[in-house]
Amino acid sequence: MLPAYVVCSPSLNSLCQNLISAEIYGSFFALMAMGLTLTYMTTKVPNFAYGSFVTIGLYTAFQLSSLNSWTPYQASVVAFLVTGAASVLMYVGILRPLANRGTPLVAIMIATFGIDIGFIGVFGIYTDYLQKVYHLFLAKQFFALPGDFSVLGVDGVAVVAPIVLAIITLGIFLLFTKTKFGIAMRASVENPSLAKVLGINTERVYIVSWFLAGGFAGLSGALYTLKFPGGTATGSDLIVEIFASSVLGGLTSIFGAVAGGLAIGGSEDMVTYGLSQGFGFVGVTIVALLTIAIGTFLVRKRTRGRRIGGIIFLALGVYLLIEMATGFTTDLFVAGLVNGYPDITPLQKGIPLIIMVIALLVLPRGLVSLKLRRPKK
Amino acid sequence: MWVIPQLIFLGIDWVSFGIDFLSFYGIYLGISLALNLEFGYAGIPNFGKVLFVAGGAAFAGSISGRLAQYVFAIRGDFIIQNTSIINTIDTKLVNDPVFVAELILVSLVIAASVGALFGFLASYPAIRLREDYLGMLLLGSAQFFQVVMRTYEPLVGGAQNINVPDPYFYWSTLPTGTGAGDRTLVAALVAGLFGLVVFMFAQRLGKSPLGRTLRAIRDNEDAARALGKDDAAMRRNILIIASAISGVAGILITFQIASVEWDYWSRFAWTFWPFLIVIIGGSGNNFGTAVGAFFFTLAYKGLQVLQPHISGLLPFDPNWLQDLAFAAVLILILLLRPDGLIREKPTPTLPRGKLAQLVAAMKAPAPNQTQGSRGSGFFRRLVGKVRPRKEKSEDPGPPPKTNG
């Protein structure tokens, strides 16, 4: 991701702007997906209220920025702690008692859904309070916050977000492989009852993972305000991308979540940008060839779903090539691919959704299940 | 028509409260029963309920307006000149009850088909994915559909909403003073009728062999499959049926408020609240859902009535308290009474009348035996219907397996 920054720094055209924006998005989604995956791995709860944690981060940054004039960078530390605490509170106060009662998974999912609506109420009360008492009239819907520095004409967050992501990923890697607690964590993910027998305090592991999960959401939420506008519904709306990132990562691996988040965040911006600008004649030919390549790769698979996907990809690629050869004006779809769709930008949320659907159909175990090396015989 | 007398008591207009209550209750009863069919009976946690309701509302609302515009040959772009076109249509609808009926019928059919189509599409992942993946997928799809409604203008006008033809226009009060003035009552009666019909249908379905099979599949998929039940087909069918009901609910709401607005269809109001209703009442149980919907409506409308009285006291909008309260109620119910207010019971395999006959036939030969041998304590008499096993085996008449 950093090369994009290096290439772009001298001159900022719109492609570079989009590359940078994609990189920021990707880093944020990777962080959020990491948190979601962490709690899913340890406690097996798909947390529908996760978007609200992001909103907590947003509002921590907003309040500290507008009342104490902190920069979002400073606020992100506080946001990490506050959101982590909220996340632990939610787990200890609501989800753990439910799980101890033997509540089925679906009921716990509904409970997290309910907590999400509870958070919406809390944010409503909180922003009303900010408006009435502190006269912050932008509290419901605020613009990107000030306080960012710039490096060679590029926003600082474009540099900071990937670095933060890298540090956290490295930290998690070291935690999982080098420390006793991390190994205990992995053990209680793999087999909780055996871990308990060995004297591992699984509850502590769960609480730590919920704290980290909330913290990552809060951190990325606070940094999010540097570049993008926010509001009470921002986190809630991001839930599609967060789920898509986690599902693409496979929901079973932290590093898969990082890859998924980068892929979703990057593709959402870049695909939208590409579709709105058009790929040109050469671009679409490359896309068609790529589609055919993916199709032939998938058709040879044994699973029925992958095969059908492969056939669809093949047909699409061949169709594209034929259309290109005949002058690409007969079909609005292909003409749009070449010259750009004018109204595509608002629909960019569809891209993570489509990727999620494809991932569920073709790669149900996520990116981590891809075997790039041939197995040795 | 007549004008309803106002009954004002405690500063609350109870007649309009009742009408409001009925229109809300009927719609939510229908949606929750549909959700109960999916979630309670078939075990599909449909976290994208809003998708099916909003789908019916958006497509049927949009198409019905265009249809009326075409029939009355009104010129103009349906989205841009929406208000004036709909006004013209409404004034023409008053004199044309036959067309109103046709329009309603066509809209209902469109809404049901759109819902059924969405349900069919959703059934593909629903029978393949685990419930958590399915939940994420459906929630994401519903969220995306909301984005489509907001941004794709030909559908429902994008960010500026569109009005739809108002089939209840005949009963509304016109600015000129004409009209019957009880539009809300008619709309509420229609909503109530819808709820009632869905309830009867769900009750029939629940008692039918299909309903019992669905529960069997939900409780033990492998055993049901081993007995030769096609679980995939049944889940698909129930999803299609329930989604069609949801679509119809969507178009009825659209007719009630006579417009389609993208931000009306939040996942909280149309996915979470039905789930809350089903959980309050007890899932897998139509009576429970009806009771749950009743209490939910009471709480919702009651808080609405209270709202003006407390809004001055608080430094925030009291509407938010409602969200908090509903979240708290859900958590408390799940913690303290996870089966809901009314527990799911095994359904009788025979009609009630026949069972009563059987029980009566069983009891008939030994009426004096109970009185004689069991003594005559007050409590004994209260629970006197339960007879000890020993006496039963002495009875020659009744078949041994049935019990009251």
Side-chain angles (χ1 to χ4, degrees), chain B residues 71-140:
Chain B
V71 168
F72 291 129
I74 303 167
R75 280 160 184 266
D77 186 273
F78 181 69
I79 299 298
I80 296 170
Q81 295 151 353
N82 179 266
T83 321
S84 68
I85 289 178
I86 294 296
N87 282 345
T88 325
I89 291 175
D90 279 347
T91 46
K92 289 191 177 183
L93 281 183
V94 174
N95 307 321
D96 198 348
V98 180
F99 181 69
V100 171
E102 284 169 2
L103 192 67
I104 292 178
L105 258 178
V106 170
S107 307
L108 289 186
V109 169
I110 294 171
S113 348
V114 169
L117 177 70
F118 280 12
F120 178 69
L121 292 179
S123 73
Y124 186 81
I127 51 190
R128 282 169 181 79
L129 295 179
R130 238 178 30 211
E131 55 232 317
D132 36 8
Y133 284 82
L134 177 68
M136 291 184 196
L137 183 62
L138 287 179
L139 194 115

Side-chain angles (χ1 to χ4, degrees), chain B residues 180-233:
Chain B
D182 39 18
R183 177 183 182 281
T184 49
L185 178 69
V186 178
L189 287 178
V190 171
L193 184 72
F194 167 72
L196 187 69
V197 168
V198 175
F199 181 77
M200 279 157 62
F201 173 75
Q203 198 60 5
R204 235 188 126 77
L205 195 149
K207 278 185 180 170
S208 69
L210 173 65
R212 290 196 295 273
T213 316
L214 281 172
R215 288 185 192 186
I217 291 173
R218 177 199 65 191
D219 289 340
N220 193 337
E221 199 179 303
D222 296 334
R225 220 181 271 166
L227 289 170
K229 304 293 179 195
D230 187 354
D231 61 325

Side-chain angles (χ1 to χ4, degrees), chain A residues 40 46 101 106-107 109-110 113-114 116-118 121 124-125 128 132 236-237 240 251 346-347 349-350 353 360-361, chain B residues 39 45 47 124 130-133 136 140 143-144 147 151 267 271-272 275 315-317 320 324 327 330 334-335 338:
Chain A
Y40 184 82
R101 284 191 57 102
V106 177
M109 280 157 72
I110 297 169
F113 203 161
D116 200 23
I117 199 175
I125 291 173
D128 276 358
K132 285 208 176 156
S236 221
D237 287 345
V240 181
L251 274 175
L347 292 177
K349 249 188 193 337
L353 187 75
L360 283 174
L361 294 179
Chain B
F39 169 59
F47 279 94
Y124 186 81
R130 238 178 30 211
E131 55 232 317
D132 36 8
Y133 284 82
M136 291 184 196
Q143 201 70 13
F144 176 62
V147 175
T151 51
R267 68 167 186 266
T271 306
F272 177 68
F275 262 111
F316 51 81
D317 187 351
W320 303 116
L324 272 181
L330 176 86
L334 282 178
L335 273 176

Side-chain angles (χ1 to χ4, degrees), chain A residues 33 36-38 40-42 44 176 186 189-190 245-257 364-369, chain B residues 130 133:
Chain A
L36 187 75
T37 310
L38 195 60
Y40 184 82
M41 278 163 63
T42 47
K44 306 282 179 291
F176 274 3
R186 269 161 61 205
V189 167
E190 300 250 321
S245 309
S246 293
V247 167
L248 186 61
L251 274 175
T252 49
S253 150
I254 297 279
F255 307 109
R365 299 167 137 245
L367 284 177
V368 279
S369 70
Chain B
R130 238 178 30 211
Y133 284 82

Side-chain angles (χ1 to χ4, degrees), chain B residues 362-363 366-375 380-381 383-396 398-400 402-404:
Chain B
M362 196 182 77
K363 276 183 181 167
N368 49 358
Q369 236 180 5
T370 36
Q371 280 176 0
S373 64
R374 300 276 298 280
R380 188 56 68 74
R381 236 180 297 150
V383 291
K385 282 173 188 166
V386 185
R387 271 180 283 161
R389 281 265 158 95
K390 270 183 191 172
E391 292 182 7
K392 223 185 218 173
S393 61
E394 287 163 16
D395 265 355
T402 29
N403 48 11

Side-chain angles (χ1 to χ4, degrees), chain A residues 85-110:
Chain A
S87 170
V88 168
L89 204 67
M90 168 177 157
Y91 173 65
V92 174
I94 297 168
L95 295 181
R96 193 167 67 180
L98 278 176
N100 286 347
R101 284 191 57 102
T103 312
L105 174 66
V106 177
I108 293 186
M109 280 157 72
I110 297 169

Side-chain angles (χ1 to χ4, degrees), chain A residues 60-66 68-79 145-149 222-223 225-226:
Chain A
T60 315
F62 175 73
Q63 184 185 346
L64 288 174
S65 164
S66 41
N68 307 358
S69 49
W70 289 29
T71 64
Y73 290 116
Q74 294 163 319
S76 67
V77 181
V78 182
L145 298 177
D148 202 1
F149 55 92
L223 293 179
T225 55
L226 280 166

